[in-house]
Amino acid sequence: MASWKNGANTTHEYFIYIDLPFFHCYYVRNEQAYVLYIGLNFQDLMARQGAIDSPPKTPFIMGSECAGDIEQVGEGVENFKVGDRVVALPDHKAWAELVAVPATSVFALPAGMSYLDAAAITMNYTVAYILLFELANLTPGKNLLLHSAGGGVGQAVVQLAKTVKDVTIFGVCSKSKHEALKATGTIDHILERGADYSNEVRKISPEGVDIVLDCLCGEECNKGYALLKPMGKYILYGSSNVVTGETKSFFSAARSWWQVDKVSPIKLFDENKTLSGLNLRHLMYQHGSHAFVRRAVERVFALWNEGKIKPVVDSTWALEDVPEAMQKMHDRKNIGKIVLDPSLEPKPKPATPAKGKTKDKKAASQESQEKKASSVESEEGEKKKEPELTNGTSEDKSDSDSKEKESS
């Protein structure tokens, strides 16, 4: 069977090659410009810090979500053809002009869906859909506690949960996001992150909640489990508490692990509670559940077609401004999805003098000061005709002054 080979002579079968702009904002075909988008996810932030399991060896291309047109198909690919509009969820490598993605991780876009919407909706809403309808079994009348309610997945959960009647949402987020989220009117009760939100939930719902969706880990696991009603479900789908600084912190990881109570299956049996987890990257690339994920993506796209969901985009950034975009996500300041738009011009950076020039200026300034000091000393020496003074300068000067007073 024939197969395509890249410059490194490695064989790629059943792959699809999607044209994505990186340094150029678009590519031209038939005099039409197709502008493409890339989704920024918290997984990218953790990959940058090396906080994910089995990270690829550096250097590597980051990015786990991209939308574009198929440029080439590998041998054996039957469901796609060159020119198809698609979105892909590669295991890294998305930030590039061309990305090779297994056909199992590529999804055709519905008619009318823009590349921007595709990059903003696919990963976040797929995760949210699996959380609510495959794991939590959300049904009318239930209530749920949602951490990071203002983030990309958080906003997806809110929209999808509201497609079910009489669902009550307790959303936990930073205080700075409360005003903006209240304006949307989609979250029933907004609680402050870091405060005693458990007590606030109990005031409104004394029995607790049916579902807890936690992307933080650490001590939040214990609080969430304690809030569950009988037959309640706690689902962990992230560990963002591990990311506390600018680099990987083994202390943060260890603390998050130690803060979590170890729950015995017997305790779950006695209390009629369920613990569950979701890692979409593992589900696709370690467990091979591609058909399951594809069904979830297709259901999400169907809900979009029906007008029941609409992706919330916080901001778009040029690829050159990725550090600022990732910093915004790191600081938990985004409401909705952050998207990279290669067609945007980067923000102007403040001009800073080159290190070499700075050193030259400092050296020249220092040399000038030394010359000035030496000239002053020589002038004083000529006037006073005194020998060079040592560390006892101040004492010698006071003695001279006293002698002058005595003679007068």
Side-chain angles (χ1 to χ4, degrees):
M1 178 170 55
S3 58
W4 179 85
K5 296 184 178 181
N6 63 11
N9 294 323
T10 56
T11 302
H12 298 273
E13 299 177 357
Y14 303 100
F15 271 63
I16 286 178
Y17 308 95
I18 303 173
D19 195 353
L20 293 171
F22 189 66
F23 297 106
H24 304 287
C25 64
Y26 56 81
Y27 66 95
V28 177
R29 178 182 295 160
N30 297 329
E31 298 182 354
Q32 291 182 336
Y34 295 86
V35 182
L36 312 179
Y37 292 85
I38 300 167
L40 187 63
N41 298 287
F42 206 87
Q43 173 182 309
D44 301 321
L45 188 63
M46 297 185 72
R48 186 194 71 178
Q49 296 194 359
I52 61 173
D53 61 303
S54 304
K57 294 182 179 179
T58 55
F60 69 95
I61 300 173
M62 292 181 56
S64 53
E65 183 179 24
C66 54
D69 292 345
I70 293 178
E71 182 74 9
Q72 183 179 351
V73 294
E75 184 73 20
V77 175
E78 299 177 351
N79 298 328
F80 297 97
K81 64 182 183 301
V82 173
D84 283 352
R85 301 171 64 252
V86 295
V87 62
L89 302 178
D91 192 18
H92 310 298
K93 306 176 184 177
W95 299 354
E97 291 177 339
L98 288 169
V99 55
V101 186
T104 52
S105 302
V106 179
F107 311 92
L109 298 187
M113 178 178 283
S114 67
Y115 293 117
L116 174 60
D117 280 354
I121 198 174
T122 306
M123 179 170 286
N124 288 354
Y125 283 74
T126 299
V127 168
Y129 183 88
I130 295 173
L131 288 173
L132 290 174
F133 302 116
E134 298 289 349
L135 296 178
N137 190 29
L138 181 64
T139 53
K142 289 187 176 181
N143 58 3
L144 66 91
L145 175 70
L146 171 65
H147 285 285
S148 296
V153 175
Q155 287 294 286
V157 167
V158 171
Q159 286 191 18
L160 287 170
K162 287 302 181 179
T163 64
V164 181
K165 292 182 180 180
D166 301 325
V167 171
T168 302
I169 301 175
F170 295 89
V172 184
C173 62
S174 304
K175 183 70 174 178
S176 59
K177 298 182 180 182
H178 284 201
E179 185 176 351
L181 293 179
K182 285 179 181 178
T184 65
T186 54
I187 301 177
D188 301 285
H189 306 284
I190 301 178
L191 310 173
E192 184 176 355
R193 180 181 179 180
D196 186 10
Y197 60 82
S198 298
N199 187 43
E200 294 300 316
V201 171
R202 291 288 186 187
K203 289 179 182 179
I204 301 168
S205 178
E207 293 182 355
V209 295
D210 298 293
I211 302 165
V212 174
L213 301 180
D214 181 12
C215 60
L216 304 178
C217 199
E219 62 180 349
E220 309 305 333
C221 296
N222 306 329
K223 294 180 180 179
Y225 182 86
L227 280 173
L228 287 180
K229 298 178 181 178
M231 301 302 295
K233 296 178 175 65
Y234 166 92
I235 307 172
L236 180 69
Y237 67 98
S239 55
S240 63
N241 273 346
V242 173
V243 180
T244 55
E246 297 300 322
T247 57
K248 180 179 179 180
S249 171
F250 289 101
F251 174 76
S252 297
R255 181 179 60 184
S256 294
W257 188 84
W258 279 107
Q259 285 176 337
V260 178
D261 289 341
K262 308 307 178 283
V263 180
S264 167
I266 294 297
K267 184 176 182 180
L268 298 176
F269 168 75
D270 289 339
E271 298 181 356
N272 288 299
K273 295 180 180 181
T274 301
L275 293 179
S276 186
L278 173 64
N279 185 321
L280 185 63
R281 176 170 167 258
H282 286 187
L283 193 64
M284 295 179 67
Y285 287 98
Q286 293 187 18
H287 306 148
S289 301
H290 301 291
F292 175 85
V293 174
R294 184 169 299 278
R295 287 194 298 270
V297 172
E298 290 173 352
R299 185 58 191 143
V300 167
F301 285 174
L303 289 169
W304 178 88
N305 258 330
E306 296 167 8
K308 294 182 178 180
I309 57 175
K310 182 180 180 180
V312 179
V313 178
D314 173 85
S315 54
T316 55
W317 300 73
L319 281 170
E320 293 85 350
D321 295 328
V322 163
E324 290 86 347
M326 298 190 85
Q327 188 63 48
K328 184 174 186 179
M329 179 176 287
H330 177 278
D331 296 337
R332 278 77 167 178
K333 293 181 178 179
N334 60 299
I335 297 178
K337 185 81 168 188
I338 295 178
V339 177
L340 306 180
D341 181 357
S343 69
L344 291 179
E345 291 292 329
K347 293 180 180 179
K349 300 293 189 296
T352 54
K355 293 183 178 180
K357 292 182 178 180
T358 305
K359 291 181 179 179
D360 293 342
K361 286 183 179 180
K362 287 183 178 180
S365 175
Q366 185 176 358
E367 184 178 354
S368 175
Q369 290 178 357
E370 289 176 353
K371 286 182 179 180
K372 186 176 180 181
S374 62
S375 62
V376 170
E377 289 179 358
S378 61
E379 289 177 1
E380 290 179 352
E382 290 178 357
K383 288 180 180 180
K384 296 182 180 181
K385 294 182 180 180
E386 292 180 353
E388 184 180 357
L389 301 178
T390 60
N391 289 337
T393 301
S394 59
E395 294 181 1
D396 294 340
K397 185 177 180 181
S398 61
D399 291 342
S400 176
D401 292 342
S402 62
K403 289 180 181 178
E404 288 178 2
K405 289 181 180 179
E406 289 177 359
S407 61
S408 62

